[in-house]
Amino acid sequence: MMQDNGLYSLRMRAALGGPHEKGAKHISGGEHLSTKADMQVKALELMDKAFSHTRGDPSFFQLTIDKIEEHIQSIKPLPVSTFDVSDAPQGKNLASSLLSHHGIPHNVIKKAMNLLERNDDSRGALIINAKTGERMDDREKKGVRVSLLDWEKENFEKWCKQSKLAINQRMKEALTLATKVCSHPLTVAELCWSDDPDYIKGYVASPAGGYHRITKLKEYGDEVGGRVFFIDGDHPIDSYIHYLEEMPVLIEMEENYGFN
Ligand code: PML
Ligand code: MG
């Protein structure tokens, strides 16, 4: 058989009570870029992610596989810094001040916080104008799902070692996504905390400041979370959304990273 050097996109979504579009509860989503040879292992990883989830046991699971035809962009991970806070209110204050350092007005930050605090039904990101707080995407409850992205396990683990960070699958996925988002020139910043009840860390990421990990942004047991992207709203966002959803990106540290 001829060797196939191409990559495939694997995209998973899982929900409880039917598919998402019928109003079901979102359980889990996941992405991989994979060779044909690794595809079964990666598909199993996604099944495992969905069927061992703290948001519940899915009754709907969908895996979509597409061969990638576009050029795959390789991007270096954002630098990571960690802020240890004593509780969620302190974490939110810190997130607000990090966002205000990027020139985002207080009322816009407050609006974004409120959106996330009430966000118990959208699984994708909410895109807002960094100056006015106006919602920019037209996806309503669905939001925008950042797709076609991955960071190869060995390269990530090498990077963790060099960055003196513990290997953490959630951070890998979140940093992969934040790096893709922050590589677009329209992105000003991103605010995220998890919708998983057992995970209370979150982050503020930006092209200028990197990935600021905050140890507490909500309470244990809370299933409300998500992502807000603050963008430069002076431009049409069609190509921005196209980049997020459809342009393949692999995160890769340089092999000599940290040694120069
Ligand atoms: C998620 O669970 O989807 C978001 C996790 C955000 C924080 C990840 C981290 O840096 O630990
Ligand atoms: Mg989640």
Side-chain angles (χ1 to χ4, degrees), residues 11-29:
R11 200 151 36 126
M12 175 279 282
R13 62 180 179 130
L16 176 58
H20 297 84
E21 56 275 19
K22 296 219 166 125
K25 178 186 178 185
H26 171 67
I27 299 294
S28 175

Side-chain angles (χ1 to χ4, degrees), residues 168 170-171 174 192-196 199 201-203 211 213 227:
N168 175 316
R170 285 174 194 266
M171 187 189 69
C192 164
W193 65 80
S194 184
D195 58 354
D196 302 357
Y199 206 73
K201 284 195 191 79
Y203 62 88
Y211 184 90
R213 219 172 166 206
R227 298 187 149 87

Side-chain angles (χ1 to χ4, degrees), residues 5 15 23 26 39 42 45 48 60 62 80 86 92 114 144 146 152 156 158 168 214-215 219 222 231-232 236 239 249:
N5 294 319
H26 171 67
M39 206 143 69
K42 303 280 185 189
E45 262 178 43
D48 199 43
F60 167 86
Q62 187 177 62
V80 174
S86 53
K92 284 183 180 166
N114 286 337
V144 174
V146 183
E152 201 233 326
F156 170 70
K158 211 186 271 179
N168 175 316
I214 300 171
T215 53
E219 309 297 335
D222 186 351
I231 70 161
D232 173 352
S239 73
V249 162

